[in-house]
Amino acid sequence: GLGALVETLERVRASFHPDLRILGILLTMYDARTSLSRQVAREVRQHFGDRVLRAMVPRNVRISESPSYGQPVVTYDPASQGAIAYRLAAREIAEMTKPVIAGDPPAIANPERIDETTAG
């Protein structure tokens, strides 16, 4: 899967958008109980380094249920682990793209400040 992702990215760069870059990669359907999930996360982090978000979205039933109710998981069950993980990822991306001073281009901010208490 990782090879296919890299290949697709290179094809898009070559054909349509030579300046395309990856801002961040979000690992989803992560299950820390399985060696496969841990291995995939390790390989993605080795290949993409600090572009991989620290937030990881776990396998979560509420994420699967929410489309049936026509809602994103963050409104369907805001307290679920999936909703918390998506808010953490959104906060991390916002911090990565936040201008240091209004009018400055986006800069990578300190993502160490992101934790579950600031995700809401």
Side-chain angles (χ1 to χ4, degrees):
L2 182 58
L5 174 64
V6 171
E7 182 180 317
T8 299
L9 180 63
E10 291 306 320
R11 278 189 281 155
V12 170
R13 277 187 185 139
S15 300
F16 304 108
H17 195 324
D19 297 327
L20 181 68
R21 67 179 190 90
I22 296 173
L23 174 66
I25 295 173
L26 177 61
L27 299 172
T28 61
M29 298 177 67
Y30 181 77
D31 186 345
R33 299 171 299 177
T34 69
S35 59
L36 179 60
S37 281
R38 291 190 307 270
Q39 178 184 354
V40 167
R42 185 173 42 255
E43 289 179 17
V44 171
R45 288 184 192 286
Q46 285 173 349
H47 190 274
F48 289 102
D50 61 359
R51 289 180 285 183
V52 181
L53 301 180
R54 284 187 328 281
M56 293 187 289
V57 179
R59 286 191 177 273
N60 184 257
V61 172
R62 297 307 214 182
I63 294 172
S64 301
E65 292 174 348
S66 64
S68 298
Y69 293 89
Q71 297 180 43
V73 71
V74 295
T75 58
Y76 174 66
D77 187 353
S80 70
Q81 291 301 308
I84 291 168
Y86 274 115
R87 284 195 306 274
L88 287 170
R91 178 68 57 109
E92 194 170 346
I93 291 166
E95 287 292 318
M96 291 168 63
T97 60
K98 181 174 81 175
V100 176
I101 299 173
D104 281 354
I108 302 297
N110 181 3
E112 297 304 315
R113 300 181 316 188
I114 301 167
D115 61 30
E116 192 169 313
T117 61
T118 63

